[in-house]
Amino acid sequence: MSQKPPRSDENTPLESPASTTSPTVETTTDEGEGDAMEALHQDLQEMKDKAQAHWDQFVRAQAELDNLRKRAERDLSNAHKYALERFANELLPVKDSLELGLEAARSADADASTREGIELTLRMFGQVLTKFGIEEVNPVGERFDPERHQAMTMQPSDEQPPNTVLAVMQKGYVLNERLLRPAMVVVAKAPD
């Protein structure tokens, strides 16, 4: 008796191991790639956030540096412009005395040569002050300015509108537009 080999169609269909495991591997591979991509996206976002934070710090540091440079330039400029302030303040009473001496010489009919000498000295003094940026504040007839004038008294006036400077008791001075000394003035007020 011979035995026949079993026919292939009689056998139960065999599934290859690869065919049964392939969808699982593909799913696992797809999930693995998806996780890796998600991790990459998260890393990329973190890097972008860090880059933005560093850029913001750089911009702030640059702005602070610019402000510091401008402040240093302004301080240096002011130091040059107002270096003479204290010295000028010491000189102003000398000029006041010269002006008073000239007025006295004019009223007392002093010697013409003495009067001319005082006038010349006073003129030269004024030129030197102007050369170094010191300007006189002599506001007769101007509107009272509390930023540059100091009111010593008020007088009723029919000729001038209220708050007009009628007389200057002592001249004021500015150094490069900065007030050195306010002008002491008499201010008009409306008649009673």
Side-chain angles (χ1 to χ4, degrees), residues 96-192:
D96 293 337
S97 294
L98 274 173
E99 289 174 344
L100 290 173
L102 181 60
E103 287 299 318
R106 286 178 180 156
S107 62
D109 284 337
D111 184 8
S113 61
T114 302
R115 195 173 58 241
E116 286 175 11
I118 296 173
E119 286 174 349
L120 181 61
T121 304
L122 192 56
R123 192 175 314 124
M124 289 172 63
F125 199 176
Q127 289 170 349
V128 170
L129 292 180
T130 301
K131 181 179 175 182
F132 286 97
I134 300 168
E135 299 291 335
E136 207 174 75
V137 178
N138 191 9
V140 174
E142 296 177 9
R143 186 162 180 81
F144 176 72
D145 178 3
E147 299 289 327
R148 296 166 69 108
H149 310 150
Q150 182 176 350
M152 302 307 293
T153 186
M154 297 188 79
Q155 287 184 356
S157 174
D158 293 329
E159 299 173 359
Q160 296 290 340
N163 291 326
T164 301
V165 174
L166 293 176
V168 175
M169 299 170 72
Q170 186 182 50
K171 294 176 184 171
Y173 290 90
V174 292
L175 170 62
N176 293 321
E177 301 300 322
R178 179 190 282 184
L179 187 66
L180 278 178
R181 185 177 78 185
M184 296 181 181
V185 299
V186 178
V187 183
K189 67 176 182 178
D192 295 332

Side-chain angles (χ1 to χ4, degrees), residues 2 11 22 28 59 73 108 123 138 148 165 177:
S2 66
N11 292 334
S22 179
T28 306
V59 169
E73 288 175 357
R123 192 175 314 124
N138 191 9
R148 296 166 69 108
V165 174
E177 301 300 322

Side-chain angles (χ1 to χ4, degrees), residues 33-49:
E33 285 178 4
D35 290 345
M37 288 299 289
E38 183 65 29
L40 282 176
H41 281 294
Q42 285 180 354
D43 288 346
L44 181 61
Q45 188 60 44
E46 287 175 8
M47 293 300 117
K48 282 182 178 179
D49 292 344

